[in-house]
Amino acid sequence: PYTLGPKITDWDAQRETWNTLNAGMNQTLSGKPKTLLVSGSQPGPCANPMGDFYHLKFLKNRIDYARLHGLEFFYNMATFEKEMSSFWAKLPLLRKMMLNHPDVEWVWWMDSDAIFTDFTFEMPMEKYGNNNLIVHGFHNLLYEQHRWIGLNTGSFLIRNCQWSLDLLDALAPFGPQGPTRVKAGELFTEKLVDRPAFEADDQSALVYLILHGDPKWKAHTYLEWEFFLHGYWKYVVYNYEEMMAKNHPGYGDERWPFVTHFVGCKPCKLGANAENDECFRQMERAFNFADNQVLEKYGYSHRALGSFKTQKIRRDSSDPLGLENVEHSEQIISEQE
Ligand code: UDP
Ligand code: MN
């Protein structure tokens, strides 16, 4: 079967040796284990230029979140293994990230169609103990109902360790483009509840391994449901205004979703239809909802969630650091294009 590369069996020991030789490298400035945020999109242009416009906006969103929370960030636009195309591209990429960044403890994958919508919230890493995979999902949907949407692989954290390399190795044989992927798709559709007939995807492969593979996969996977590590866009985007009226960032859950993921939208594909128009409209709103939290520091906000136009919300001050404790007014000063 297909493999991602030479079998590695002692990665934990190799990493430990490297980190001993390079003491201090494996911590952030504030002394925490390092997290590398990883995302990517296809090497060529989108058939629909609007798709690239939103790739760029969503990339900016990740750069902002990583900057504000001390995450390292890698964005990939290269094909690493041609057999591992589309949603399978993350497998060889994650392996490369782990092997070439032994100082990094966690690799955080985020789909190109997902964005951070709570800029205050941080992953509660202390609750995950010795789990190696943190993924959004629901116990009843996954373990009781065996549904293919029991978890979502659009945004997850995976520990840089032997278990994770083994998981990638176990997933990889389902992925090669062509007959292998088609056959695996048939198996997943047969075994997983409500899965439509289509070629194998990485999410189904993970669900399949957790339910039917080695028990060690389930044993070290943490299903996160207390906040939106992945938030299905249709459940959150229509509530943004109400959230802004009633709540504030920092919750990460339905009060203020951590991540909004545009599952099912195909922004890169050509062909305008009502569904696609709604995707773009809501992507703009999600981006602005998030971006308001970034712009606030600089005294700006978007005029409306649906508008890329901005407005000044504070008068500039001769005491920008507030050292003299003067009152700052919060009102619309002037509208910007
Ligand atoms: N992806 C990538 N390179 C590619 C194709 C896809 O890095 O050549 C990534 C991209 O981030 C995308 C994810 O793989 O969001 C999942 O792929 P899928 O086709 O499921 O796209 P989605 O429906 O999530 O946009
Ligand atoms: Mn996605």
Side-chain angles (χ1 to χ4, degrees), residues 40-43 86-87 89-90 109-113 261 265-266:
S41 49
Q42 85 295 335
S86 76
F87 24 70
K90 68 186 84 160
W109 170 261
M110 218 165 157
D111 271 11
S112 59
D113 59 350
H261 181 194
C265 290
K266 289 282 164 242

Side-chain angles (χ1 to χ4, degrees), residues 165-180:
L165 291 183
D166 291 342
L167 177 62
L168 295 177
D169 285 347
L171 291 167
F174 299 111
Q177 198 170 3
T180 308

Side-chain angles (χ1 to χ4, degrees), residues 176-197:
Q177 198 170 3
T180 308
R181 193 184 291 182
V182 172
K183 271 226 98 65
E186 288 164 9
L187 170 70
F188 296 158
T189 299
E190 184 201 320
K191 294 279 188 186
L192 308 179
V193 174
D194 279 353
R195 187 184 191 271

Side-chain angles (χ1 to χ4, degrees), residues 60 64 67-68 291-301 311-316:
K60 174 199 156 28
D64 282 328
R67 174 177 54 82
L68 291 165
D291 201 42
N292 278 342
Q293 298 160 53
V294 176
L295 291 180
E296 204 277 336
K297 177 181 171 71
Y298 306 102
Y300 297 90
S301 73
Q311 60 198 3
K312 265 192 193 175
I313 54 171
R314 274 197 303 276
R315 212 175 283 284
D316 288 341

Side-chain angles (χ1 to χ4, degrees), residues 241-280:
E241 277 86 356
E242 197 184 333
M243 293 169 198
M244 288 163 68
K246 292 188 180 157
N247 284 307
H248 55 78
Y251 296 112
D253 56 18
E254 54 286 331
R255 288 167 293 181
W256 206 285
F258 187 29
V259 170
T260 300
H261 181 194
F262 286 85
V263 182
C265 290
K266 289 282 164 242
C268 214
K269 290 220 171 98
L270 208 51
N273 57 51
E275 172 81 12
N276 228 12
D277 287 349
E278 182 60 5
C279 282
F280 285 130

Side-chain angles (χ1 to χ4, degrees), residues 277-335:
D277 287 349
E278 182 60 5
C279 282
F280 285 130
R281 203 168 16 251
Q282 297 306 331
M283 284 178 170
E284 183 64 36
R285 281 167 44 80
F287 175 84
N288 293 332
F289 176 75
D291 201 42
N292 278 342
Q293 298 160 53
V294 176
L295 291 180
E296 204 277 336
K297 177 181 171 71
Y298 306 102
Y300 297 90
S301 73
H302 289 273
R303 282 196 225 167
L305 288 187
S307 169
F308 49 71
K309 294 181 179 177
T310 49
Q311 60 198 3
K312 265 192 193 175
I313 54 171
R314 274 197 303 276
R315 212 175 283 284
D316 288 341
S317 161
S318 58
D319 173 34
L321 305 180
L323 301 177
E324 287 165 24
N325 273 324
V326 293
E327 290 270 317
H328 294 278
S329 61
E330 290 269 350
Q331 70 196 59
I332 293 164
I333 308 299
S334 69
E335 296 185 326

